[in-house]
Amino acid sequence: MIKTTNLKKLYTTDEIETTALNRVSIDVDDGEFIAVMGPSGCGKSTLLNILGLLDQPSSGEYYFRGEETSGYTEKERAALRKGNIGFVFQSFNLIDELTVYENVELPLMYLGLTPSQRKRKAEHALERMSMMSRRDHFPQQLSGGQQQRVAIARAVVADAGLILADEPTGNLDSDHGDDVMNLLTELNEQGTTIIMVTHSPHDAEFASRKIHLFDGAVVDKAAERNFHV
């Protein structure tokens, strides 16, 4: 599904140049559950943004399902994201003015589906997340765990083959956090590829493989321990 070769991401100001990613080369197969780990500022979220086609590398190659995307325009990246990639964020990123149902339905409106098609898919996603009974509630009427369930429903509603999760349990207590991790595991078992950024060794144990970053580069686990991560 994913292959990167020597990805670099530089941020430059008038006074300093910062290397966020340094020659990152990874492969992710269909159906994997990957945990990306490392200390704050090591490049985890930058990598996730590039893999999610929200940003582009300064150099290197990124192949998504065989397409080399590193030189794509924003319009081309947006077109490839639609229906292919779902996002789950630590802060949920739900729209407060929309109901649960409307939040989940929103991605489908950009795919040109009919109202009946959108209804069927949105209700199915909410049922999978056990949130149909809250379909007419607004996000602020829900607990954190419920909001994250809605966010996951929104991520999977278009049948995306890849979910990118950035600290998905970061704002949840341990019980709700485990509920979310179990949901992600179920989705993975049903064939969805998941790449999750996490600081949590507990959450990382749900993944089938771990990628460790330090100072923007991939390191092995032994090296990460040596860096006191």
Side-chain angles (χ1 to χ4, degrees), residues 35-189:
V36 180
M37 305 189 71
S40 296
C42 72
K44 301 187 301 296
S45 292
T46 299
L47 177 61
L48 210 67
N49 286 340
I50 290 174
L51 297 182
L53 300 168
L54 297 172
D55 199 359
Q56 58 190 146
S58 301
S59 63
E61 299 175 335
Y62 172 32
Y63 294 88
F64 180 75
R65 295 199 181 280
E67 291 189 47
E68 210 290 292
T69 67
S70 60
Y72 274 21
T73 65
E74 167 54 31
K75 184 176 180 180
E76 290 170 328
R77 294 198 306 272
L80 188 54
R81 280 196 305 269
K82 289 179 183 178
N84 287 312
I85 303 175
F87 297 89
V88 179
F89 302 96
Q90 176 177 342
S91 56
F92 318 133
N93 285 12
L94 300 175
I95 299 173
D96 289 339
E97 294 76 19
L98 300 182
T99 65
V100 163
Y101 176 86
E102 290 167 340
N103 267 281
V104 173
E105 180 193 32
L106 187 60
L108 302 175
M109 299 181 75
Y110 297 105
L111 296 177
L113 301 183
T114 66
S116 62
Q117 290 172 323
R118 296 199 303 267
K119 182 175 185 292
R120 176 175 54 81
K121 283 182 169 291
E123 289 182 347
H124 177 63
L126 288 170
E127 286 169 355
R128 290 175 75 183
M129 296 300 116
S130 301
M131 288 302 295
M132 269 295 286
S133 64
R134 300 287 192 271
R135 59 170 289 157
D136 296 322
H137 286 64
F138 290 91
Q140 296 307 312
Q141 296 174 304
L142 306 178
S143 69
Q146 290 171 331
Q147 289 187 63
Q148 195 61 293
R149 282 175 174 266
V150 176
I152 295 172
R154 181 184 59 190
V156 302
V157 70
D159 301 316
L162 172 65
I163 290 181
L164 301 178
D166 194 354
E167 297 284 358
T169 68
N171 285 338
L172 305 177
D173 60 36
S174 58
D175 287 343
H176 287 120
D178 280 350
D179 285 345
V180 166
M181 293 309 305
N182 287 327
L183 287 171
L184 292 176
T185 299
E186 288 174 20
L187 290 170
N188 178 245
E189 290 171 348

Side-chain angles (χ1 to χ4, degrees), residues 178-222:
D178 280 350
D179 285 345
V180 166
M181 293 309 305
N182 287 327
L183 287 171
L184 292 176
T185 299
E186 288 174 20
L187 290 170
N188 178 245
E189 290 171 348
Q190 293 164 9
T192 304
T193 304
I194 297 175
I195 303 176
M196 174 184 67
V197 161
T198 183
H199 283 99
S200 167
H202 172 74
D203 289 358
E205 289 304 312
F206 286 83
S208 55
R209 181 159 63 97
K210 304 176 185 70
I211 294 173
H212 299 263
L213 293 183
F214 186 82
D215 281 352
V218 176
V219 298
D220 62 30
K221 192 170 184 180

